[in-house]
Amino acid sequence: MVRNIDLPEALVFYGMESIIQPSVDCTNDDTKQATTLILRPGIARLLKECQEVGKSQSSTTGGNIKELMSDDTPVINFRCLSSTFTTPPSSINKEEEESDEFIDDPFYNLQRNGKSPSPAFLLDSLNSVVVDPRGFGGSSGFARGQWIEPRRSPLPARTVVFIAGDWSIGEQDKVSTDDISWLINAQEEDTEQPTVQDRCAASRAAGCRIIYLEQSTDDSQRQQHITVKENTNTMSLCDAVLMSYGNDNPRDLQPVTLDAISTPGEYWLNPPMSRDDEGNNVSPDDVVKWFRAERKMEEIVGDAECTVVGDAVVEEEDQLSDEEMEKILADLDVI
C-alpha cells in the first residue's frame, strides 16, 4: 500500500523573532560590546534542504542568503506590510488568462489593514510566490510521479508557519545606546505591533500548520536587556511546540526537517482546516472582510472631529426640550 506523503510547499517564518536572534560581539575594546543579528541555529540547514528539494520558503519580516535569493525562482522571499504584491509571470497560464474565470488580481492588497490577526497579509505572501508541486506517492519519492501539477502558489494546507515569542525592552532598560536602538525604535513607531498571538490566529484562519519555537533568554540577551515573552496561550493553539530548529549539521538528528513537518509527519497526520481559536471552521474571506470593516470603522471613529460631532448629536437627541417636558408634566397632572 502506498501512502501519500505531502511535503510542505512553503515554510513561513512569521516575524523576525522566528528566524533571527541577537548576539553580542566584543570589539577591540573589551569594555564595549555590539549587538548583531544572526540566523537561529538550524535555519541555514533547513533552507539548504528546501533548495535541494525544490520547495519555496517565505519570510514575512533571514546557506548563503544571497545565493538563495539570486535565482529566477528564489528559495527565500521576504515580505513586509509595505510590500507590493504581484503575481509571478511564470504562474499565469495563458488558457486561464483567456477564460472568464481568470482573476486578474488574486490579492487582498490591504497593506497594514491586512496585518495579523487578519490572514490577508499571510495569504497575499503565499500568492506572490510559485512552486512546482510534487505528484502523488510515498515518502522518499517512492512511486511518485514528478511534476504532474502545473506551477502554482503554495496551498495554505501544505504551508507550515513558524512563530516565536515577542521581544520587548522595559522602560527602565531604554538607555542611551545604539546597540538595541533598532528594537526600541520599532516599539515606539508601531504601538499596535502584531504579537505572536495575532500571528497564530492569522495562521489558523488561513488554514496553515503552526510550530511555536521557544526562546530561552541567553546571556547575550540578558546583557542587552532583551526580554522574550513566551505566550503559553498561544502555545496551546499551535500544532507543535519545539525548543529549537536543531543545528546546522545535516548528519545529526534534527527536530525540524521537511520529512518531519510533512503530512502525515512527526507532529500531525491530516491537513488542517481554516479555524478560529475555539477550533470552529471559518472562511478566510469572511475573516478578512470582518477585519477590513472593523479597521475602517476604527479609522473613522479615530477622527477627533467626527467623534465630537457624533457625541454632540447623541446628547442632543437624548435630551428633552423644555416644551416637551412641560407637555409630559401636563399629561401627568390630568391623570
Side-chain angles (χ1 to χ4, degrees), residues 47 66 70 125 130 139 191 197 206-207 214 233 254 265 272 279 286 324:
L47 295 181
K66 291 183 179 180
S70 60
S125 299
V130 293
S139 60
T191 56
Q197 190 166 355
E214 294 184 293
N233 292 332
Q254 307 292 348
D286 291 344
E324 292 175 336

Side-chain angles (χ1 to χ4, degrees), residues 292-313:
R292 178 168 50 189
E294 287 292 313
R295 286 166 178 172
K296 283 185 178 179
M297 183 60 66
E298 289 177 1
E299 293 177 358
I300 296 174
V301 175
D303 191 329
E305 295 182 359
C306 291
T307 303
V308 172
V309 172
D311 291 344
V313 171

Side-chain angles (χ1 to χ4, degrees), residues 163-166 196-197 200 212 214 228-238 240-241:
I163 58 176
D166 303 309
V196 63
Q197 190 166 355
C200 178
Y212 189 105
E214 294 184 293
V228 179
K229 297 180 178 180
E230 300 290 11
N231 192 316
T232 55
N233 292 332
T234 302
M235 291 182 184
S236 64
L237 297 175
C238 295
V241 179

Side-chain angles (χ1 to χ4, degrees), residues 15-303:
M16 67 177 183
E17 299 89 348
S18 64
I19 196 172
I20 60 176
Q21 66 182 22
S23 176
V24 173
D25 294 334
C26 295
T27 60
N28 295 331
D29 187 354
D30 294 338
T31 61
K32 295 183 179 180
Q33 294 178 334
T35 300
T36 59
L37 300 179
I38 62 174
L39 288 176
R40 295 186 63 167
I43 290 289
R45 170 191 53 78
L46 190 58
L47 295 181
K48 184 66 175 178
E49 188 176 357
C50 290
Q51 185 182 37
E52 293 174 351
V53 173
K55 301 303 176 188
S56 179
Q57 177 275 339
S58 177
S59 178
T60 56
T61 54
N64 189 327
I65 298 298
K66 291 183 179 180
E67 178 182 348
L68 295 173
M69 298 178 63
S70 60
D71 297 335
D72 294 336
T73 55
V75 176
I76 184 171
N77 301 270
F78 288 89
R79 299 290 182 267
C80 60
L81 290 175
S82 59
S83 296
T84 301
F85 294 103
T86 57
T87 305
S90 57
S91 67
I92 300 177
N93 188 303
K94 292 184 179 180
E95 296 180 357
E96 292 180 355
E97 188 174 4
E98 295 175 356
S99 65
D100 296 336
E101 298 179 355
F102 177 73
I103 301 176
D104 186 36
D105 188 3
F107 303 103
Y108 293 107
N109 279 327
L110 298 180
Q111 302 301 333
R112 295 196 63 84
N113 280 342
K115 65 182 180 180
S116 60
S118 171
F121 171 64
L122 177 58
L123 293 173
D124 280 354
S125 299
L126 292 178
N127 285 331
S128 65
V129 298
V130 293
V131 294
D132 294 306
R134 292 296 180 95
F136 181 90
S139 60
S140 302
F142 175 72
R144 183 186 298 275
Q146 301 290 345
W147 320 121
I148 295 176
E149 296 185 50
R151 306 197 78 188
R152 55 168 172 76
S153 296
L155 299 177
R158 297 181 186 176
T159 298
V160 180
V161 178
F162 296 96
I163 58 176
D166 303 309
W167 293 350
S168 66
I169 299 293
E171 291 294 333
Q172 68 278 11
D173 295 325
K174 290 185 178 180
V175 294
S176 57
T177 176
D178 295 332
D179 293 342
I180 53 177
S181 59
W182 53 271
L183 182 55
I184 296 176
N185 294 337
Q187 290 185 343
E188 292 179 349
E189 291 176 0
D190 192 353
T191 56
E192 298 181 358
Q193 188 173 5
T195 63
V196 63
Q197 190 166 355
D198 294 335
R199 297 183 181 116
C200 178
S203 303
R204 288 173 64 92
C208 304
R209 287 295 183 187
I210 313 165
I211 294 181
Y212 189 105
L213 273 299
E214 294 184 293
Q215 294 195 31
S216 58
T217 306
D218 57 19
D219 293 337
S220 63
Q221 291 173 320
R222 282 192 290 268
Q223 292 173 9
Q224 295 301 323
H225 311 290
I226 296 177
T227 303
V228 179
K229 297 180 178 180
E230 300 290 11
N231 192 316
T232 55
N233 292 332
T234 302
M235 291 182 184
S236 64
L237 297 175
C238 295
D239 299 291
V241 179
L242 304 178
M243 293 296 296
S244 69
Y245 295 100
N247 56 47
D248 292 322
N249 187 352
R251 299 193 177 190
D252 292 345
L253 292 176
Q254 307 292 348
V256 179
T257 63
L258 290 184
D259 285 337
I261 57 178
S262 297
T263 304
E266 295 184 9
Y267 305 111
W268 48 76
L269 293 176
N270 302 311
M273 300 291 291
S274 300
R275 67 274 190 206
D276 59 15
D277 290 350
E278 303 298 329
N280 302 314
N281 291 343
V282 297
S283 168
D285 288 340
D286 291 344
V287 176
V288 171
K289 291 178 181 178
W290 185 86
F291 275 106
R292 178 168 50 189
E294 287 292 313
R295 286 166 178 172
K296 283 185 178 179
M297 183 60 66
E298 289 177 1
E299 293 177 358
I300 296 174
V301 175
D303 191 329

